[in-house]
Every structure is written in C-alpha cells, then in structure tokens.
Amino acid sequence: MLQLEKVSVRFGGLTAVDEVSLQVGTGDVVGLVGANGAGKTTLFNAISGLVRPTGGSIRFDGTDILKAPLHRRARLGIGRTFQIPQPMHELTVRQNLIVAQRFATGKVDAGRIAEVLAFTGLAEKADRDAATGLALTELKALEVAKALATQPKLLLLDEVLAGLETNGKRRFMQMLKGLHEAFAVGIVIIEHDIETISNLCARVAVLNFGQLIAEGTPAQVFNDPAVIKSYTGA
C-alpha cells in the first residue's frame, strides 16, 4: 500500500529524514519509534503532504504522490492525527467530522460519521462545542474520529496517547486495538511508550537522527544494541 524509497527531508543544512525506505501493507500495524528529534513527525508530514521531500519517492497504492497536494493524498486514502488536538473552533464534534470528511472525500456520509462517533465514544458528545466541551481524552478521540471520518486506507497516528493518565491511556489502547479490524485500515503509530507499541504493533521501525536503524518485531527491535544505544546513549 505505502512504499517509501530513500525519502529525505532537509531544512537548510539540517537533514531531518535521511534516505528512509519503508513499506506498509494493507493489514499492517506498524510502530514508528525513536528519541525526540529522530524525524518521526517529519516523516509523517512528508507522507501526508505537509512538507515536500528533498529526495526519494513515495507511492501509495501504486500512485506516485511525492508532489501530490494534501487533498489528493486524503482522497487516495491517507488519514492522520496530530500530536496536539486541533478541533475546529465554534463547531460541534459532529461538524468537525463533517468538515474533515467533505475535505477528504468531497461528500458527506452521515452513516459513516455516526459509526465513527459510536466507535470513538463521542456519540453522546456529538453536539457539544469541540473546542470547549471535551476533556483531553475526548479531544484525542476526536483526532482519531476526524481521521476515520475521511474513510482512510492508511491511518497515521502521531502520539495519540501522549499526556493521558493511566486509566485514560488504557481505555484508549482498547479502542486502538479494535480500530484496525473494525475499519479495515492499515496503521502507522508514533509512540514513545515501549509497552504500548509492543501491545499494539506486530512490526516496529526505529529512527535515529533521521535514519532508519532497525525494523522487525517488537522483541527484535527493542533488544537491538543499536536501538538501546540510541535511547540510552550507552
């Protein structure tokens, strides 16, 4: 489904992503990990179209999307969340989903929106102001809901568990475990918590200073000396 070949992103003299090659299949749930500043979110931005790579190629379902605009990538089936929830102000939860869906698909599917609201636990909050009427866990759920409303084939989740307390994180993890099967969507998730990644993902890719230094099962990756060194410096 997604094929990255030697993707690089440079900002002036800084190389944020350095010739990363990665493949994500339709049924994959892949964890993307690395220390702060490793290039994880920049790679997401390159895939979703927020930044233009300076080298390499990106193909999605066989289509070259390296220079494609954001809306084109969304309509092909790439959805994403952001680290900091970004609800659309003065709109209800439901209206946030409607706007996201119309942007991505060009139409509104009320049935899909109702399904997503129910799955993410937001159905009872659907008519609340999204910017002022939700707790942090619900704002995180709204990020996922907006992405799901766009009917993605691939979902890029950027630290959706960050900042949640233990019980909230546990509930959110249960939702994420069901998401892959319920919506038949491939997932790439950025997350710092090793236990979370190990529980959710069959495959893990590790970035360090923009380079892909390891890829494999959680057990293989988190016992790799190069990965341990990148986290601990030892």
Side-chain angles (χ1 to χ4, degrees):
M1 179 168 54
L2 177 69
Q3 294 179 310
L4 309 181
E5 294 292 339
K6 294 186 177 182
V7 173
S8 295
V9 179
R10 299 183 180 88
F11 302 106
L14 173 67
T15 300
V17 176
D18 190 3
E19 295 193 346
V20 170
S21 296
L22 184 68
Q23 293 191 12
V24 182
T26 303
D28 288 348
V29 180
V30 180
L32 184 62
V33 304
N36 288 330
K40 304 181 298 296
T41 295
T42 301
L43 186 61
F44 268 19
N45 289 343
I47 296 167
S48 59
L50 287 174
V51 300
R52 178 71 60 84
T54 49
S57 68
I58 302 177
R59 301 186 70 83
F60 188 74
D61 272 353
T63 299
D64 181 354
I65 61 169
L66 188 69
K67 298 180 181 180
L70 273 76
H71 72 273
R72 171 66 174 154
R73 300 180 198 219
R75 294 198 177 187
L76 284 171
I78 298 176
R80 71 163 295 177
T81 68
F82 292 86
Q83 288 176 266
I84 300 174
Q86 301 182 43
M88 298 173 220
H89 287 255
E90 299 183 2
L91 295 182
T92 67
V93 170
R94 189 191 311 276
Q95 288 169 338
N96 269 257
L97 269 61
I98 289 172
V99 171
Q101 188 181 76
R102 188 182 292 277
F103 169 80
T105 69
K107 59 184 180 181
V108 175
D109 182 341
R112 172 75 173 204
I113 288 174
E115 181 184 13
V116 169
L117 287 169
F119 180 83
T120 55
L122 293 172
E124 294 184 1
K125 305 287 182 73
D127 296 317
R128 291 195 182 186
D129 186 292
T132 61
L134 300 180
L136 178 59
T137 304
E138 293 164 339
L139 285 169
K140 295 277 189 175
L142 177 61
E143 277 292 294
V144 176
K146 287 191 297 181
L148 284 175
T150 68
Q151 302 183 359
K153 299 176 184 176
L154 175 68
L155 192 56
L156 308 175
L157 302 177
D158 195 349
E159 294 196 46
V160 290
L161 298 172
L164 298 182
E165 44 79 29
T166 302
N167 288 335
K169 182 178 288 190
R170 188 177 297 116
R171 292 194 301 270
F172 216 88
M173 275 190 61
Q174 290 303 313
M175 180 186 76
L176 293 180
K177 284 182 177 180
L179 187 156
H180 172 252
E181 184 173 341
F183 293 93
V185 61
I187 297 172
V188 183
I189 179 169
I190 295 174
E191 178 56 51
H192 285 287
D193 188 281
I194 291 175
E195 182 180 359
T196 297
I197 287 292
S198 298
N199 286 335
L200 289 176
C201 305
R203 182 159 58 98
V204 181
V206 186
L207 292 183
N208 187 44
F209 294 110
Q211 295 182 330
L212 183 67
I213 63 169
E215 184 180 355
T217 68
Q220 291 170 333
V221 164
F222 293 127
N223 286 291
D224 186 317
V227 175
I228 295 170
K229 182 178 180 180
S230 75
Y231 271 92
T232 66

